[in-house]
Amino acid sequence: VVDDGLAPFPVHARYTTSSLWIHSMRTLPRSSVLRGVRAPVIASIVWALAMAALNAVTHFNVPCSRPHTLLSWALALLLVFRTNSSYNRFWEGRKIWEKLLNRCRDLVRMSTIYRGAIGLRRLRRIACLVTAMPGALREHVKGRPRADGARERDIAECLLPYDRLVLTRVRNRPLFIVNTLAREISAIPSSDKLDFSSRERLFMLAMVNDLSACIGACERIVQTPVPEMYARHTSRFLCLWIFTLPLLLLPEMGFWVVPAIACISWTLFGIQELGLQLENPFVSIIKLDVMEEMNQQSVDETLSLADDYELLGASDMAEEALIARP
């Protein structure tokens, strides 16, 4: 993520073909995919070396390669389906957080518009809870709090003493924030003079319901992995295919089969590992901390602009009063 201070929001760095391959080769030793497939790749290399040494000594007969060739398409389908399903989960997770940020912005904007009916104290509390919502959800889907405890302090500042006591006992903190938001909005009194009625209240509560739906959608992705039987069958099929491949390549390649198997096993096990890492996009794929900072920035700017407009409106009214005075 690149944030040079000039763009309105942080953006991911874009690559060209030339820069991408150089960067990829330079960072290969630190690749998370390589770390994930190191064990099966090393095992495949050792097995290929053993088969090459045995063939050099005994010159054993190599079996027919036709069954191996016929099964290649089935392995390709399994890997492609696995990767596509994982990528769809990643994209769904990104759309969920897009909806979350949009509803947070809408809720703060709606609150500033009707700040006269809501009141300054309640407006600040709603804004504080909306600011804390993405961070609480990030910790919830990752299953671990921040080490410095900053998020707990931010949430505690938004709550009343009784709510702070309840916060220590709840396990689903983002849901607790949503429930607190709903109570705050429900307690806003209707005012015909300030154009705040049950219609506006229900509209704001609908936004809070969308925040609750985002929590459930994130929990569905985290709690529902790709069926284990599918992952195990794909892994067994892949291992069987790779460990029998040296037997078919030995007559033509000899000891060159070792680097060939190293490249093939790294490629195919890497595709499988990509699917496993994309399966839960909230761990490291989607930059949730960046979105949390964007939400904080949006809330702060909305509140500050609302204050500026209020001061500007007051000065305009005073100027109009002076002009109208005889």
Side-chain angles (χ1 to χ4, degrees), residues 136-244:
L137 183 57
R138 175 175 60 86
E139 295 176 357
H140 183 64
V141 296
K142 285 190 174 184
R144 59 179 184 272
R146 287 176 55 173
D148 56 2
R151 180 52 49 195
E152 293 187 9
R153 293 192 297 270
D154 293 342
I155 298 176
E157 292 176 356
C158 312
L159 303 176
L160 299 175
Y162 173 75
D163 293 332
R164 295 172 188 171
L165 179 62
V166 177
L167 181 65
T168 60
R169 300 199 301 264
V170 298
R171 300 182 61 183
N172 195 330
R173 295 191 174 187
L175 184 60
F176 175 76
I177 293 177
V178 168
N179 294 336
T180 306
L181 273 171
R183 288 197 303 270
E184 284 292 325
I185 294 172
S186 299
I188 300 174
S190 299
S191 175
D192 295 334
K193 181 179 179 180
L194 298 173
D195 294 330
F196 190 88
S197 62
S198 59
R199 180 183 59 184
E200 285 75 23
R201 186 183 300 107
L202 291 175
F203 187 67
M204 295 179 69
L205 288 175
M207 298 180 190
V208 176
N209 290 337
D210 287 342
L211 294 180
S212 179
C214 291
I215 298 174
C218 289
E219 291 174 343
R220 170 170 50 83
I221 292 179
V222 174
Q223 295 176 340
T224 313
V226 174
E228 188 177 5
M229 63 181 67
Y230 186 94
R232 286 184 175 180
H233 182 72
T234 303
S235 179
R236 291 163 182 164
F237 187 8
L238 178 58
C239 290
L240 181 63
W241 192 90
I242 288 181
F243 277 78
T244 55

Side-chain angles (χ1 to χ4, degrees), residues 11 70 82 109 121 141 146 167 221 227 235 249 260 265 268 275 291 300 304 306:
V11 296
L70 293 176
R82 181 73 173 83
R109 182 173 60 251
R121 184 199 62 83
V141 296
R146 287 176 55 173
L167 181 65
I221 292 179
S235 179
L249 300 180
S265 61
L268 296 182
M291 297 186 186
D300 292 342
S304 62

Side-chain angles (χ1 to χ4, degrees), residues 290-302:
V290 175
M291 297 186 186
E292 182 183 355
E293 294 175 1
M294 289 175 57
N295 180 70
Q296 174 74 57
Q297 178 183 358
S298 299
V299 172
D300 292 342
E301 289 183 353
T302 302

Side-chain angles (χ1 to χ4, degrees), residues 30 63 108 161 166 187 239 264:
R30 304 190 301 272
V108 174
V166 177
C239 290
I264 294 173

Side-chain angles (χ1 to χ4, degrees), residues 40 120 123 256 258 284 312:
L120 184 58
L123 172 61
W256 286 103
V258 177
S284 60
L312 181 61

Side-chain angles (χ1 to χ4, degrees), residues 85-95 278 281 285-286:
S85 62
S86 297
Y87 184 83
N88 289 335
R89 292 163 64 91
F90 153 75
W91 189 240
E92 183 183 4
R94 180 61 184 88
K95 291 191 292 184
L278 286 171
I285 307 299
I286 301 178

